[in-house]
Amino acid sequence: MATKPNVSWRGVLFWPLEWLFLAVATVNLVWVIFDLSYVQLRDFYVLRVPELVRLYDPMKGIEPHRITERYLRTVDAYKAAADAGDATREAALLPVLRTLSAQIVDDSPFELAGKQGTLERIKNRIRRHVGDSSSKQSFLRFWSEQNMTPARQAAQLDFFDKKLRPLFAVNYYRNYGEDGEFVDWYFRRIDLWFMVVFAVELVLRTFVTYRNHPRWSWQRCFSENSFDVLNLVPLVNLIPGVHLGWLALLRVFTYGDRLERLGVFPSPIAGLIHRYSMAIADEVTDLVVVKALTQVQDVVRTADLTAALPRATQVAPRSADDPPTAIDGFVKEQTEIVVKEVLPQVRPELEQLLAHSIKQSLPLPTRLTSGLVNVTLNAAYSAANGVLKADPEGERLTRQLLDKLLRTLSAEWREHGTVQDAQQLIVALLEQARRDYIRRNGMDS
C-alpha cells in the first residue's frame, strides 16, 4: 500500500520499512499498556491465565507471599491426606492450619500488596460461613476436628476452594529495589530494545530528509522528524530512582501519526490535537500574562525604590580613567539625536525664545540681540557636538555634570517623595494594562 502524500518534510521510508516499524510500534504500545496495568489486573490473570503470571511476575519483582503460599500448600497437604485416608496426617495438619490462620489474621500479610480489602473479604466470608463474630475464632472452629468430620469434610474443603482459595491466591510479595521503590524491570529488559528500534528509525528518517534536501543542515533535517522523539522520552526510566512508566503512553501520539500517514485510517488523536492545541495554548498564554502583570505589580508595590537611588555622599566624581557606564552611553546616544536631528528643527523657536528673554532682561538693539542669540545657540551646539567627538575634556565635563545631576536629583526625589509617586503611577498603569487585557480577551476577572 502506498503512503499518503506527506504534507511535511518528514522522511518517508521504503514502504516495507514503514509497515515494519508500524508493527513494532503496535506490539510496543500493546505491551506498554499491558505492563502499566499488569499489577492492577493481576488478580484476573492469576485466576484466568496463571501461566502468564508465572512468566511475568519476575519482571515486576513479584513472588508468592511466603505466609499465604505456605498456608495454601498446607491446605493441599491436608486434602491429599484426606483423600488418602491418612487420619494421623490429618490430625497433625489441623493445628498447623489453625496457627497459620491466626497468624494471617494478626499479621495481615496482604497489606504490602495493597490488598487489605481482600483480607477483609476473607474474614467476612469465614465469619458468615461459621457463624461467629470473630474471624480468628471462625478459622479456629473451621479447622477443628469437630468441623472436619468425615461427613462434613468434603463440603468444608469445597467451600474453601471456591470461596477462600482464590482470595488467598492473589496475594503476593513484591521486592524493593535499592532506590526504595518496587522492582520493575520492564524498561531495562524489554522496552530498551524497542527504544533502540525507534532510535534507528529516527536516524533513518533524518537521513532520508537530508538526502531529499541536501542543502539543509542536519539539525533542520532532525527537527523535521523530531516528533518521533516522543518514542524515546521513556529513556528517563533508565535513570536510577526514576519511575515514570506512564511516559511511554506518549507513544500513542506517534502511533496515531503513523496510522494517518500510512492511510490506515485518519488519526482521531491528530485531529483532537489540531483542534484543541491552539485553544489550550491561548488559555495558558492569557493566564501567564495576567499572572505576570499581577506579580510585577506586587514587586513594584513592595519594592523600596529609594534604596536604589544613590545618596549624595555615595556618588563620587569620576576621573577620566574610569570606564564609561551604561548611562554615559545612553546620554551620548541621546545627545547625538538631539544635535543632529532635533536642534536643526527647533532652532527657529529657540531663537525666538532667547531673543524674547534677552529683551526682557537687557534693553539691547534688535541687531545686537539677534547676534547674541546666534552666538549663544552656536556655542551650545558646539558644546553638544563636542561630546560626540573624541574630546577627553568634553567627556570629563559631561561626566562631572551627570554625577552632579544624579546626586541632586536623588536628594530632591527623596525629599519630595517623587519615587513613591512614580511607584504608585507604575502600579496604576500595570493595573490598567491587566484590566484591559482581561476585558480584551474576554476573561473572568
Side-chain angles (χ1 to χ4, degrees):
M1 180 183 293
T3 58
K4 291 173 58 180
N6 203 349
V7 296
S8 69
W9 300 109
R10 184 182 179 87
V12 179
L13 305 177
F14 186 45
W15 72 265
L17 279 178
E18 289 283 2
W19 285 94
L20 175 62
F21 284 125
L22 175 63
V24 172
T26 302
V27 172
N28 174 254
L29 190 58
V30 172
W31 206 329
V32 164
I33 295 173
F34 166 76
D35 180 79
L36 293 176
S37 62
Y38 177 77
V39 175
Q40 288 74 19
L41 298 178
R42 185 179 177 276
D43 292 1
F44 173 81
Y45 299 141
V46 167
L47 302 177
R48 298 290 188 269
V49 200
E51 297 81 6
L52 175 64
V53 173
R54 284 193 291 270
L55 288 173
Y56 210 76
D57 269 1
M59 194 66 61
K60 295 295 184 182
I62 294 176
E63 59 187 42
H65 197 286
R66 60 182 181 84
I67 296 179
T68 51
E69 183 69 9
R70 181 188 174 191
Y71 186 70
L72 293 178
R73 286 200 304 266
T74 305
V75 173
D76 291 338
Y78 179 80
K79 289 177 60 180
D83 293 339
D86 188 348
T88 303
R89 179 67 171 162
E90 290 181 53
L93 288 174
L94 284 176
V96 177
L97 288 171
R98 289 195 293 269
T99 300
L100 290 175
S101 298
Q103 183 181 2
I104 289 174
V105 173
D106 291 336
D107 296 346
S108 184
F110 290 77
E111 188 172 357
L112 178 64
K115 295 186 174 299
Q116 190 63 27
T118 301
L119 179 59
E120 294 302 319
R121 286 197 293 274
I122 292 174
K123 292 179 181 179
N124 291 334
R125 289 182 182 184
I126 193 67
R127 280 195 291 258
R128 286 196 296 267
H129 179 75
V130 175
D132 197 302
S133 60
S134 169
S135 59
K136 184 185 293 187
Q137 291 299 321
S138 297
F139 271 117
L140 295 179
R141 290 176 58 184
F142 183 82
W143 294 117
S144 65
E145 289 81 358
Q146 294 79 9
N147 187 48
M148 291 296 176
T149 61
R152 295 173 55 84
Q153 190 180 65
Q156 298 303 306
L157 292 177
D158 183 66
F159 164 79
F160 182 89
D161 286 340
K162 291 182 178 179
K163 299 298 183 180
L164 300 184
R165 180 182 290 272
L167 299 179
F168 281 106
V170 299
N171 189 39
Y172 60 84
Y173 175 81
R174 191 171 184 185
N175 292 288
Y176 285 98
E178 293 182 356
D179 57 1
E181 300 291 338
F182 287 128
V183 169
D184 190 345
W185 296 111
Y186 170 74
F187 285 97
R188 291 183 178 273
R189 295 182 179 177
I190 298 177
D191 202 71
L192 176 62
W193 298 106
F194 284 103
M195 285 188 278
V196 170
V197 175
F198 292 141
V200 170
E201 179 190 14
L202 179 58
V203 171
L204 289 176
R205 292 192 187 279
T206 302
F207 176 77
V208 169
T209 302
Y210 182 76
R211 187 185 62 182
N212 295 334
H213 305 278
R215 295 180 179 272
W216 288 4
S217 65
W218 283 103
Q219 290 82 355
R220 180 174 179 183
C221 295
F222 175 80
S223 67
E224 294 293 338
N225 299 277
S226 59
F227 187 60
D228 286 341
V229 173
L230 289 177
N231 293 328
L232 304 178
V233 170
L235 274 170
V236 299
N237 290 287
L238 302 182
I239 302 174
V242 176
H243 297 272
L244 301 174
W246 58 269
L247 287 176
L249 292 177
L250 293 174
R251 292 172 184 160
V252 72
F253 297 105
T254 59
Y255 187 75
D257 182 67
R258 292 177 192 274
L259 296 179
E260 188 175 26
R261 285 186 294 106
L262 289 171
V264 178
F265 59 81
S267 170
I269 297 172
L272 289 174
I273 293 175
H274 179 73
R275 178 176 300 178
Y276 295 111
S277 60
M278 291 305 298
I280 294 173
D282 289 342
E283 288 292 332
V284 172
T285 301
D286 289 343
L287 292 175
V288 169
V289 170
V290 173
K291 184 68 175 178
L293 288 173
T294 303
Q295 290 179 341
V296 172
Q297 273 186 290
D298 294 338
V299 171
V300 174
R301 186 181 291 110
T302 59
D304 184 10
L305 300 183
T306 57
L309 294 176
R311 298 182 181 276
T313 57
Q314 290 178 330
V315 184
R318 293 176 293 166
S319 66
D321 297 331
D322 293 335
T325 64
I327 295 179
D328 296 336
F330 175 77
V331 171
K332 191 170 184 178
E333 292 177 0
Q334 299 307 311
T335 302
E336 183 175 358
I337 294 175
V338 171
V339 171
K340 294 183 177 181
E341 304 294 337
V342 178
L343 283 180
Q345 298 184 42
V346 300
R347 178 156 183 154
E349 286 75 12
L350 283 175
E351 290 178 351
Q352 294 178 7
L353 178 60
L354 283 175
H356 176 73
S357 299
I358 292 173
K359 288 180 180 179
Q360 292 293 327
S361 303
L362 299 172
L364 298 176
T366 302
R367 182 176 298 179
L368 186 58
T369 301
S370 178
L372 184 58
V373 168
N374 288 329
V375 169
T376 304
L377 286 178
N378 289 335
Y381 183 85
S382 298
N385 194 42
V387 175
L388 304 179
K389 300 177 181 179
D391 181 6
E393 181 62 19
E395 292 183 1
R396 185 189 68 79
L397 293 173
T398 302
R399 289 188 179 190
Q400 182 178 330
L401 174 62
L402 287 174
D403 292 341
K404 185 61 177 294
L405 181 62
L406 285 175
R407 289 196 299 270
T408 305
L409 282 176
S410 298
E412 293 301 323
W413 285 345
R414 291 176 185 277
E415 179 69 22
H416 298 286
T418 304
V419 174
Q420 288 79 6
D421 294 340
Q423 195 171 7
Q424 294 176 4
L425 177 60
I426 295 173
V427 170
L429 291 174
L430 289 171
E431 177 63 20
Q432 185 62 40
R434 190 180 71 88
R435 291 180 179 178
D436 290 344
Y437 189 89
I438 292 174
R439 183 175 61 255
R440 187 166 57 252
N441 292 276
M443 301 172 61
D444 294 330
S445 57

